[in-house]
Amino acid sequence: MMNDTAALNPDSMETALDENMAYRQNLRNRQRIVVKVGSSSLLHRTTHRLDYHKIDVLVRELSDLKNRGKDVILVSSGATAVGREVIRRTDFGRNLAEDSKITVKQACAAIGQARLMMTYQRFFTDYNQISAQILMDKNAVTENLSKYNLYNTFNELLKFDCIPIVNENDSVATYEYSVGDNDNLSAIVASLMHADLLILLSDVDGLYTDDPRINPDAEYIEYVPHLDEKLMKMAKGTTGSESGTGGMNTKLQAGVIATKSGCDMVIVNSRHMKVIHEVVQGRNHGTLFRADPDPNFDLQDYLESSF
Ligand code: GLU
């Protein structure tokens, strides 16, 4: 990220912070919530195997939102990382590299996606919820008929009180067809389904003026009422975490899609998954990007021109 502390003007900061606290109280009333969880939030850092404790709390949080009468959609990464770990436990795959060729990654995703869904279904069943799998790619939204069908399927699932679990169709979607990261994918789903809150669970606390791992003077930004070019530039070139693909750049791209579609977005650290209900209660966690609806924003046009 480029150092840009000028983004924080001390004179306007106090008002912005008051506005942030006041606005966050509205998050209690959000009715359709999309939650995105990245691979690094689901896996133990050292072994790269599934962190069942975190998944249990994640599922409990989402189930409770559902029991409060909200519509909940989960966008979960992890297919490739989980599949890779499964393969590494075999004689054949012991030395499988992170940067293996695309066909190997796609095979890993096929194995891992099934394993991931099996795990989610087990936990969601414990909390008396019905979950469903949706695998999609970019074409599912850029082509009119697919978009119509996808919308209808989501709608029926939500009417059935299901929790759809979404991922990119990684074992089939190659470069030309894929969105590539689940930050953008979750914003696309939020936009398509007219969600009013998108929560990006991450291994970072939120947005900083610079990369805090490199620059100790990087300042934390807790409220973004308008996502402008200056902020977009700040995030350029940030890298993702160990297991996933999304850095701050993809999170801000997701912010553009979500906020222009009229959806609030919060980037928050998933260290403690219970942060989900605290965000929905209006507590001041993570960076809030306030919905900033743009009547001229068209999801299909945007995807065709930007991806
Ligand atoms: N769809 C990918 C997977 O499940 C993850 C993409 C991402 O990390 O954003 O492996």
Side-chain angles (χ1 to χ4, degrees):
M1 271 191 268
M2 199 173 83
N3 191 1
D4 192 359
T5 41
L8 299 176
N9 173 357
D11 295 337
S12 58
M13 251 169 75
E14 208 161 295
T15 353
L17 297 188
D18 289 347
E19 200 181 295
N20 169 44
M21 295 306 286
Y23 189 82
R24 284 192 187 244
Q25 297 313 308
N26 301 321
L27 301 187
R28 292 166 187 258
N29 306 324
R30 298 297 175 254
Q31 181 53 34
R32 184 162 288 180
I33 302 172
V34 176
V35 175
K36 180 258 169 176
V37 63
S39 309
S40 58
S41 305
L42 294 173
L43 305 175
H44 284 288
R45 211 172 276 268
T46 44
T47 61
H48 300 289
R49 294 194 188 171
L50 285 172
D51 184 333
Y52 289 130
H53 177 72
K54 277 183 108 173
I55 296 174
D56 187 14
V57 183
L58 167 69
V59 169
R60 192 168 69 212
E61 290 281 313
L62 300 182
S63 300
D64 193 61
L65 286 179
K66 194 79 204 155
N67 284 355
R68 278 195 239 173
K70 315 266 185 203
D71 289 337
V72 175
I73 299 173
L74 173 64
V75 176
S76 176
S77 304
T80 318
V82 170
R84 195 188 289 124
E85 265 325 292
V86 172
I87 292 296
R88 275 187 182 150
R89 274 181 262 163
T90 65
D91 288 343
F92 178 72
R94 189 150 294 137
N95 300 317
L96 196 65
E98 299 275 320
D99 57 350
S100 345
K101 56 183 182 174
I102 184 76
T103 48
V104 173
K105 280 189 184 160
Q106 290 188 303
C108 287
I111 294 165
Q113 181 64 27
R115 184 69 64 113
L116 204 54
M117 279 310 294
M118 183 180 76
T119 308
Y120 276 128
Q121 288 224 296
R122 215 183 273 154
F123 281 109
F124 274 117
T125 305
D126 275 355
Y127 291 103
N128 222 6
Q129 304 293 333
I130 308 166
S131 54
Q133 172 180 260
I134 298 227
L135 297 179
M136 55 184 280
D137 60 13
K138 191 171 68 180
N139 286 3
V141 187
T142 51
E143 285 171 10
N144 281 335
L145 182 59
S146 316
K147 182 182 167 194
Y148 173 78
N149 289 333
L150 183 65
Y151 176 82
N152 286 340
T153 305
F154 267 119
N155 225 7
E156 293 298 342
L157 287 171
L158 294 174
K159 277 199 243 160
F160 286 148
D161 251 351
C162 281
I163 300 182
I165 304 175
V166 186
N167 198 358
E168 183 121 45
N169 197 355
D170 295 308
S171 45
V172 174
T174 40
Y175 180 72
E176 305 79 12
Y177 308 112
S178 75
V179 176
D181 68 90
N182 279 0
D183 294 325
N184 276 296
L185 189 76
S186 62
I188 291 169
V189 169
S191 174
L192 177 76
M193 296 315 297
H194 311 293
D196 41 20
L197 177 60
L198 168 63
I199 300 177
L200 299 184
L201 296 170
S202 174
D203 53 4
V204 294
D205 291 335
L207 181 64
Y208 285 84
T209 53
D210 200 353
D211 189 336
R213 292 168 299 188
I214 298 167
N215 179 359
D217 295 328
E219 293 193 46
Y220 180 63
I221 302 174
E222 58 186 32
Y223 178 60
V224 179
H226 175 66
L227 193 41
D228 55 18
E229 276 304 308
K230 204 167 166 185
L231 280 173
M232 294 302 289
K233 273 195 201 139
M234 266 174 35
K236 282 258 157 62
T238 55
T239 52
S241 52
E242 270 182 84
S243 327
T245 51
M248 198 45 74
N249 196 24
T250 57
K251 288 180 177 49
L252 292 199
Q253 287 168 354
V256 171
I257 299 175
T259 57
K260 283 184 184 239
S261 305
C263 177
D264 294 310
M265 182 179 99
V266 178
I267 301 174
V268 70
N269 200 314
S270 64
R271 200 178 298 112
H272 304 294
M273 288 289 186
K274 67 182 176 49
V275 77
I276 297 173
H277 77 258
E278 294 180 353
V279 165
V280 177
Q281 279 168 355
R283 296 267 296 273
N284 193 21
H285 295 306
T287 302
L288 166 66
F289 296 78
R290 183 180 171 151
D292 189 15
D294 175 355
N296 298 319
F297 180 74
D298 181 89
L299 181 62
Q300 275 167 281
D301 287 351
Y302 179 83
L303 293 180
E304 268 154 21
S305 61
S306 311
F307 284 81

